[in-house]
Amino acid sequence: MINKFLPALDKFQETEQQYIEYFSAKGEKDPLGRVISNMKGTAEIQASQGVDSWLGYGIYLPAIERIFALHQGETEAEFYARTQYPPDVVNAYSIPDHAIATLIAADKYSRIHQQSVPVNTALWPLNDDGLCINLQDFPQRLKAKI
């Protein structure tokens, strides 16, 4: 059973709304696209320092990638066929109908672990009973260009 660091809408909905309001006030027609763009930009900066920040999102990476894929027009079936991610992991770390809240939760998770987990760690626990995901097992995953 997956139960480690699951996102909860009540913890991230207010921040999600603040993001939407902020970007909308700036005239942004696609707040989700702006958040995705910001995440990709940060990943590029970190890659220049030898860090695959996508690995730093750990258990949230499959959910992040689904959001990116769907936003770019890929279907859910195409996403799963391409990445081979387990749907239970993707769903566990997604907040349904709240893509920006999911990305905020992923960012929070990543920041929590930046101080205690070595960079470029690929093995992440999904529960306290030894269930893990190794992101290196998914060759089509999002990777930094280091």
Side-chain angles (χ1 to χ4, degrees), residues 5-132:
F5 295 107
L6 296 175
L9 180 58
D10 62 327
K11 292 182 181 176
F12 302 105
Q13 189 169 19
E14 183 178 331
T15 306
E16 176 185 53
Q17 191 56 43
Q18 290 170 353
Y19 274 52
I20 292 168
E21 289 171 7
Y22 172 80
F23 287 125
S24 295
K26 296 244 179 227
E28 181 63 55
K29 303 250 187 270
D30 181 12
L32 176 58
R34 175 55 60 196
V35 172
I36 290 170
S37 175
N38 289 348
M39 290 176 78
K40 287 180 176 181
T42 299
E44 287 176 23
I45 292 168
Q46 290 182 332
S48 71
Q49 302 299 310
V51 176
D52 186 344
S53 62
W54 300 115
L55 285 174
Y57 288 109
I59 51 184
Y60 277 88
L61 184 60
I64 290 171
E65 286 197 61
R66 178 172 65 178
I67 291 167
F68 287 12
L70 296 178
H71 187 265
Q72 293 173 330
E74 193 171 7
T75 68
E76 193 122 347
E78 291 167 335
F79 164 76
Y80 283 113
R82 176 178 57 80
T83 65
Q84 298 298 302
Y85 281 133
D88 60 335
V89 174
V90 175
N91 292 325
Y93 294 99
S94 297
I95 301 173
D97 302 318
H98 290 273
I100 293 175
T102 299
L103 297 178
I104 293 167
D107 187 60
K108 191 72 93 175
Y109 177 83
S110 173
R111 290 176 193 273
I112 288 169
H113 291 91
Q114 282 177 357
Q115 303 305 317
S116 61
V117 177
V119 296
N120 300 334
T121 294
L123 188 63
W124 294 90
L126 297 166
N127 66 22
D128 292 326
D129 298 324
L131 182 64
C132 295

Side-chain angles (χ1 to χ4, degrees), residues 124-143:
W124 294 90
L126 297 166
N127 66 22
D128 292 326
D129 298 324
L131 182 64
C132 295
I133 185 170
N134 186 338
L135 296 173
Q136 299 295 25
D137 291 342
F138 303 94
Q140 298 302 315
R141 75 166 176 83
L142 193 55
K143 297 177 187 108

